């Protein structure tokens, strides 16, 4: 099928009344979640996932994807108006967005970031459309050894590159894989790690795990720490939203650079919208002729990062849809959703399920246009959402989490699992282990085992197979480099950061000023 | 601040225990097979070894550096997890509405302030909203109220 035919097919799927409705719903809910601090995108997707059970897989994915890119739009609103990043990917937007709002240019900032978001997303979607089928076709040649190597690379990269200790990231991945092995072994029908519980035969529920580790643990951490914003209604009254000619002129190149940076980092495992936004900000400051304006409301400082994080949101789908190897926890969740709906991810996805693939891509356009139209007129509503006190919000969120877990199987066991994983997630926060690698390991673990065992059968038990086949060898070499670099740099950085933290603590003790805690979220 | 990173040392020790347990269970209960025909025990046994190895590294690193004091809350996790457990225990025998009341009331205690009016209002509001979305809109069969005796 030629590209135009595929696009037309996708547009047809995306524009059916049902898909349009769920795309709208996803984008709306995503924006809402993005605005509210203390509620992450993973928690939102896993919480709303049970609503999509009875839907077609395409519609379900369209809605969940809408939540994913909607949060990035919504997050910028809270960053600019209140200096509170709704999601980590928008944290850097605070630096120049909030000063702009204080100067009475909040309306312009919101308008321009919406444009930047749309621009970045469009850039990402175009790359996604062009490259995914090409990569998938190339990947059809991959055997089990290559797949195992690819998944290993994805897991190693995402656990060592992300913030914090690389060793802890790797430990989280390993725990995730082990949790993924619970239940019946697909090849020998041996029942593993169920301890006699019949409910665990089909394995641990992905939904219960994601809701526990991200939703419940996040809530426990946020109680009595996240407070409803005290907003002066005058400050959010938008005096002007029409940018000056100077604003527009300054915005072109940051948007373009941001979109390129974001698209690049979006496809790599372990990096994502947050890192893309930070790097984009750093580059804009570096190339600017007047870097002293940054931090005081420079429009370049919001256009680059907002374009970058939205582009990264879209290109993150490239490895997920072309190879079936997700690079981030959110993408792992999307992949899990596909598998729960009985769709096998991998390079065959595009040819086997063209409606799903092209429909999803075209729905990104639809969703981004909805968001473009939605964001500006509804700013007042979003700001009001921020004034809902957290003590009213979190019990309701917990209730929906439990109800969602219950309806995904109609057994109380799923709710007990939510409680168990909530406890595990809280313990991981206290010990400062990252949660995202655990989810990635959980989703990829069973696939990895299958490919590993199959590769070993084909190679007659010779481990060298992973290093003899050329593609697999290259991937393994990259994995090795990433591992060494990741462990080295995380220890190096930690030593530096540790020294800085000590200084800060000493300064704080001296000044007796309690430091305000920032809400902690994750992608 | 601690002189050592006690938290990481503890985490490392827990990882070692967990890794050993996983390997032990796999070797004892599931056939290992051979390298060319792997049994269901081989992969998890290997993972257990990897986990224990990472635990050892983490624990060794932790002895060389000072660590921050953890900020552990007792009431927040206790009431949140307690509320979830109550929901899990009540929903099958007693139905949805009692489960909603239980989770809202218990988890609200985590805030360490009791606001009776807003608590009652949110219980009633959610008892109307949740059945509306899940039972009426989505058509799921969840009993609202039940008496098992």
């Amino acid at each position: 099928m030629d590209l135009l035919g595929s696009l037309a097919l996708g547009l047809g799927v995306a524009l059916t009344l049902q898909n349009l409705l769920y795309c709208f719903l996803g984008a709306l809910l995503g924006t809402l979640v993005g605005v509210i601090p203390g509620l992450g995108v993973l928690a939102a997707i896993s919480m709303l996932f049970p609503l999509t059970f009875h839907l077609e897989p395409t519609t379900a994915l369209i809605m969940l994807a809408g939540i994913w890119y909607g949060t990035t739009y919504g997050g910028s609103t809270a960053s600019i108006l209140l200096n509170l990043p709704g999601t980590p990917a928008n944290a850097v937007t605070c630096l120049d967005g909030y000063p702009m709002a204080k100067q009475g240019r909040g309306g312009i900032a919101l308008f321009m970031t919406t444009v930047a978001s749309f621009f970045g997303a469009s850039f990402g979607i175009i790359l996604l459309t062009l490259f995914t089928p090409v990569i998938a076709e190339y990947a059809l040649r991959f055997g089990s050894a290559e797949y195992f190597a690819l998944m290993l690379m994805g897991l190693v990269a995402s656990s060592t590159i992300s913030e914090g200790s690389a060793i802890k990231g790797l430990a989280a991945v390993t725990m995730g894989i082990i949790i993924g092995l619970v239940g019946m072994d697909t090849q020998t029908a041996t029942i593993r790690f169920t301890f006699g519980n019949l409910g665990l035969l089909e394995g641990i529920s992905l939904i219960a795990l994601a809701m526990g580790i991200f939703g419940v643990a996040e809530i426990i951490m946020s109680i009595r720490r996240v407070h409803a914003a005290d907003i002066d209604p005058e400050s959010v009254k938008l005096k002007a939203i029409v940018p000056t000619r100077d604003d527009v002129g300054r915005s072109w190149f940051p948007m373009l650079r941001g979109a390129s940076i974001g698209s690049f980092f979006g496809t790599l495992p372990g990096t994502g919208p947050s890192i893309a936004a930070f790097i984009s900000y750093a580059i804009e400051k570096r190339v600017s002729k007047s870097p002293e304006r940054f931090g005081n409301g420079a429009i370049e400082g919001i256009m680059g990062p907002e374009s970058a994080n939205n582009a990264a949101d879209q290109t993150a789908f490239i490895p997920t849809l072309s190879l079936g190897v997700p690079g981030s926890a959110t993408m792992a969740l999307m992949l899990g959703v596909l598998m729960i709906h009985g769709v096998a991810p991998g390079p065959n996805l595009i040819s086997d399920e063209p409606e799903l693939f092209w429909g999803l891509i075209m729905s990104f356009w639809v969703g981004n246009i909805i968001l473009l139209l939605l964001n500006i007129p509804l700013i007042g509503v979003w700001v009001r959402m921020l004034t809902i006190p957290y003590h009213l919000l979190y019990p309701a969120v917990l209730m929906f989490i439990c109800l969602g877990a219950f309806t995904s199987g109609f057994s109380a066991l799923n709710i007990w699992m939510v409680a168990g994983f909530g406890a595990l997630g809280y313990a991981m926060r206290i010990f400062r282990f990252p949660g995202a690698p655990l989810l990635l390991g959980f989703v990829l673990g069973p696939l990895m085992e299958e490919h590993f065992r199959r590769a070993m059968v084909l190679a007659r038990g010779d481990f060298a197979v992973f290093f003899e086949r050329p593609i697999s060898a290259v991937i393994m070499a990259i994995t090795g480099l990433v591992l060494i670099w990741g462990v080295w740099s995380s220890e190096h950085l930690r030593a530096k950061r540790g020294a800085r933290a000590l200084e800060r603590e000493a300064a704080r003790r001296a000044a007796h000023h309690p430091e305000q805690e920032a809400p902690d979220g994750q992608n | 601040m601690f002189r050592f990173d006690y938290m990481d040392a503890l985490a490392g020790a827990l990882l070692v225990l967990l890794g050993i347990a996983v390997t032990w269970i796999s070797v004892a209960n599931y056939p290992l097979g051979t390298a060319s025909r792997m049994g269901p025990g081989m992969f998890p046994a290997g993972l257990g070894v990897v986990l224990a190895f990472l635990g050892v590294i983490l624990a060794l690193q932790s002895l060389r550096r000072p660590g921050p004091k953890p900020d552990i809350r007792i009431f927040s996790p206790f009431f949140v997890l307690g509320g979830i457990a109550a929901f899990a225990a009540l929903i099958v025998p007693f139905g949805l509405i009692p489960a909603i009341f239980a989770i809202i009331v218990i988890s609200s205690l985590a805030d360490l302030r009791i606001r009776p009016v807003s608590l009652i209002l949110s219980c009633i509001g959610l008892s109307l909203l949740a059945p509306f979305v899940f039972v009426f809109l989505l058509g799921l069969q969840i009993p609202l109220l039940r008496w098992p005796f």
Side-chain angles (χ1 to χ4, degrees):
Chain A
M1 220 187 316
D2 63 317
L3 189 63
L4 277 180
S6 309
L7 292 178
L9 170 80
L11 201 61
V13 174
L15 287 180
T16 59
L17 191 63
Q18 196 194 20
N19 289 345
L20 214 54
L21 183 74
Y22 279 97
C23 186
F24 174 77
L25 200 64
L28 186 73
L29 291 168
T31 314
L32 197 69
V33 167
V35 172
I36 299 173
L39 196 59
V41 57
L42 273 168
I45 292 181
S46 46
M47 201 166 84
L48 297 167
F49 173 62
L51 297 181
T52 67
F53 258 136
H54 62 293
L55 300 174
E56 300 269 306
T58 311
T59 313
L61 219 60
I62 285 176
M63 173 171 158
L64 296 174
I67 299 173
W68 159 239
Y69 51 77
T71 49
T72 314
Y73 272 85
S76 62
T77 308
S79 296
I80 291 170
L81 292 181
L82 305 159
N83 206 15
L84 282 175
T87 70
N90 302 104
V92 55
T93 309
C94 291
L95 297 178
D96 278 291
Y98 186 60
M100 279 183 81
K102 280 203 293 195
Q103 293 157 13
R105 284 160 46 81
I108 296 168
L110 285 173
F111 180 75
M112 291 304 280
T113 49
T114 306
V115 172
S117 300
F118 185 74
F119 181 85
S122 308
F123 196 88
I125 299 171
I126 292 171
L127 292 181
L128 175 62
T129 314
L130 294 178
F131 284 107
T132 313
V134 179
I135 296 172
E137 202 169 303
Y138 184 73
L140 285 173
R141 278 181 272 170
F142 286 9
S144 280
E146 282 78 17
Y147 270 108
F148 176 77
L150 258 180
M151 290 179 186
L152 193 67
M153 179 175 81
L155 291 183
V156 166
S158 59
S159 54
T160 53
I161 292 177
S162 60
E163 222 182 302
S165 154
I167 298 291
K168 288 180 177 176
L170 290 169
V173 159
T174 316
M175 282 197 285
I177 301 175
I178 293 170
I179 295 171
L181 297 183
V182 172
M184 200 180 292
D185 171 28
T186 46
Q187 291 178 26
T188 58
T190 310
I191 296 156
R192 292 185 291 187
F193 302 111
T194 62
F195 305 103
N197 191 327
L198 290 178
L200 290 177
L201 276 185
E202 285 176 35
I204 300 276
S205 153
L206 169 70
I207 300 308
L209 181 124
M211 290 203 273
I213 299 238
F214 299 101
V216 176
E218 177 95 31
I219 286 173
I220 295 176
M221 293 303 286
S222 305
I223 288 174
R224 296 198 289 129
R225 288 192 178 117
V226 172
H227 298 286
D230 210 5
I231 304 165
D232 174 16
E234 270 307 303
S235 74
V236 295
K237 238 182 219 157
L238 305 175
K239 290 174 192 107
I241 63 166
V242 181
T244 62
R245 183 167 293 211
D246 179 51
D247 289 333
V248 177
R250 284 176 186 281
S251 298
W252 277 109
F253 285 105
M255 266 186 348
L256 202 59
R257 278 190 292 261
S260 327
I261 293 163
S263 302
F264 177 69
F265 284 105
T267 53
L268 297 185
T271 60
S274 315
I275 291 178
F278 271 103
I279 289 176
S280 163
Y281 188 81
I283 287 180
E284 288 314 321
K285 201 170 171 182
R286 182 73 52 88
V287 301
S288 171
K289 289 193 196 97
S290 46
E292 68 282 353
R293 285 171 46 251
F294 279 75
N296 298 316
I299 196 159
E300 298 95 316
I302 56 174
M303 298 306 275
E306 281 300 314
S307 167
N309 58 26
N310 280 279
D313 276 355
Q314 303 297 343
T315 54
F317 278 97
I318 293 178
T320 314
L321 293 176
S322 64
L323 305 171
V325 179
S328 71
T330 321
M331 287 301 122
L333 206 56
M334 297 276 172
L335 204 70
V337 169
L338 272 183
M339 293 196 278
I340 289 173
H341 278 286
V343 177
N348 288 319
L349 180 78
I350 300 175
S351 46
D352 289 354
E353 307 267 351
E355 276 108 15
L356 189 151
F357 176 76
W358 294 106
L360 182 65
I361 286 191
M362 293 317 278
S363 88
F364 292 166
W365 286 112
V366 177
N368 276 290
I369 292 171
I370 290 174
L371 284 165
L372 189 65
L373 301 175
L374 204 66
N375 229 9
I376 300 291
L378 289 184
I379 284 166
V381 178
W382 305 140
V383 171
R384 196 139 323 131
M385 291 307 300
L386 277 163
T387 57
I388 296 180
Y390 197 69
H391 67 85
L392 282 182
L393 198 63
Y394 82 82
V397 172
L398 276 177
M399 191 276 291
F400 278 109
I401 285 178
C402 289
L403 195 50
F406 179 70
T407 53
S408 69
F410 290 97
S411 92
L413 179 69
N414 279 344
I415 312 175
W416 290 110
M417 279 199 250
V418 170
F421 284 113
L424 177 65
Y426 183 59
M428 286 171 67
R429 300 260 172 137
I430 287 177
F431 286 114
R432 287 170 293 137
F433 277 65
L438 187 130
L439 180 65
L440 263 171
F442 175 78
V443 171
L444 288 184
L447 294 171
M448 269 180 91
E449 186 191 15
E450 201 181 313
H451 284 299
F452 182 68
R453 280 158 80 171
R454 200 180 297 155
M456 294 308 284
V457 169
L458 293 174
R460 297 195 179 79
D462 183 8
F463 283 97
V465 63
F466 298 109
F467 305 96
E468 278 166 357
R469 294 171 64 108
I471 300 173
S472 165
V474 170
I475 300 171
M476 283 304 224
I478 296 171
T479 310
L481 288 177
V482 169
L483 185 65
I484 293 166
W485 182 77
V487 171
W488 180 82
S489 72
S490 91
E491 295 312 315
H492 191 70
L493 282 178
R494 185 217 280 265
K496 265 208 247 167
R497 205 177 301 146
R500 226 181 300 147
L502 279 174
E503 269 169 38
R504 219 181 298 137
E505 181 148 319
R508 199 172 62 184
R509 290 244 170 98
H512 274 290
H513 276 308
E515 207 171 310
Q516 210 185 346
E517 268 170 297
D520 171 38
Q522 74 281 305
N523 270 333
Chain B
M1 292 299 269
F2 288 132
R3 249 180 331 122
F4 305 109
D5 202 337
Y6 283 105
M7 294 302 285
D8 276 11
L10 183 61
L14 288 174
L15 287 180
V16 171
L17 285 181
L18 190 68
I20 291 174
V22 168
T23 304
W24 180 275
I25 294 171
S26 314
V27 173
N29 297 315
Y30 316 123
L32 285 180
T34 61
S36 58
R37 278 244 159 256
M38 285 193 183
M42 186 79 97
F43 200 69
L47 286 173
V49 173
V50 172
L51 198 59
F53 174 70
L54 291 170
V56 170
I57 296 182
L58 189 64
L60 286 180
Q61 284 179 336
S62 70
L63 299 177
R64 291 185 307 148
R65 57 164 183 247
K69 273 212 169 92
D71 177 16
I72 301 178
R73 299 255 169 114
I74 295 170
F75 290 114
S76 305
F78 180 78
F79 286 116
V80 168
L81 298 176
I84 298 173
F87 190 95
L90 291 178
I91 189 155
V92 175
F94 290 95
L96 182 59
I97 308 262
I100 290 179
F101 270 71
I103 192 170
I104 301 292
V105 171
I106 296 174
S107 66
S108 291
L109 296 175
D111 203 42
L112 299 185
R113 258 176 73 186
I114 297 167
R115 304 172 175 83
V117 178
S118 73
L119 195 56
I120 292 169
L121 284 181
S122 64
C123 279
I124 295 173
L126 289 168
S127 301
L128 293 173
L129 179 67
F132 177 74
V133 173
F134 281 84
V135 181
F136 181 72
L137 284 184
L138 296 179
L140 300 173
Q141 302 287 322
I142 309 169
L144 295 184
L145 210 54
R146 241 187 201 174
W147 189 248
F149 307 111

